[in-house]
Amino acid sequence: GSHSQLEDMAPRIVEHPTDLLVSKGEPATLSCKAEGRPAPAVEWYKDGERVETDREDPRSHRTLLPGGSLFFLRILHGRRGKPDEGVYVCVARNYLGEATSRNASLEVAGE
């Protein structure tokens, strides 16, 4: 019928994140864009663990952008660890299902 474009749709990822190599202290953005109806909620996972953003912790250096991309104010990298290094995926969900992006690795460039 003519109203078929209004049917709800499961999410699909239309823009996938790509591997990043970032100098420490620099900003970075992992792209992710998802479509669906209703508009899917996007979450990020790093090495299988959910990534906290400033929505959960206002002091976080990671922000979930309106389109679903993950923005890092600055890449954290210390002697005690590399908290931002790892393999990221973005997951878009609505009530009809979920879609998972390709893996994107974020590496911090050498000192």
Side-chain angles (χ1 to χ4, degrees):
S2 58
H3 60 271
S4 61
Q5 73 269 22
L6 296 177
E7 285 171 15
D8 287 356
M9 295 183 313
R12 65 187 185 100
I13 308 283
V14 292
E15 188 181 324
H16 291 266
T18 53
D19 294 351
L20 287 183
L21 179 62
V22 189
S23 304
K24 74 172 189 184
E26 291 292 306
T29 304
L30 283 165
S31 302
C32 180
K33 200 177 213 165
E35 287 180 350
R37 185 177 289 117
V42 171
E43 289 183 331
W44 283 86
Y45 291 83
K46 174 172 97 70
D47 301 330
E49 305 246 317
R50 204 170 89 75
V51 173
E52 292 224 321
T53 64
D54 59 3
R55 292 190 181 185
E56 291 89 20
D57 178 0
R59 295 185 314 260
S60 173
H61 67 295
R62 292 181 289 244
T63 300
L64 187 62
L65 298 179
S69 296
L70 186 65
F71 174 72
F72 298 82
L73 215 52
R74 60 190 178 281
I75 292 298
L76 297 185
H77 188 71
R79 287 187 297 275
R80 292 188 306 283
K82 309 173 178 181
D84 291 326
E85 251 186 17
V87 176
Y88 289 79
V89 296
C90 93
V91 179
R93 288 192 183 89
N94 68 15
Y95 80 97
L96 284 169
E98 63 179 60
T100 304
S101 73
R102 291 196 286 269
N103 289 354
S105 64
L106 189 152
E107 282 183 67
V108 180
E111 304 297 283

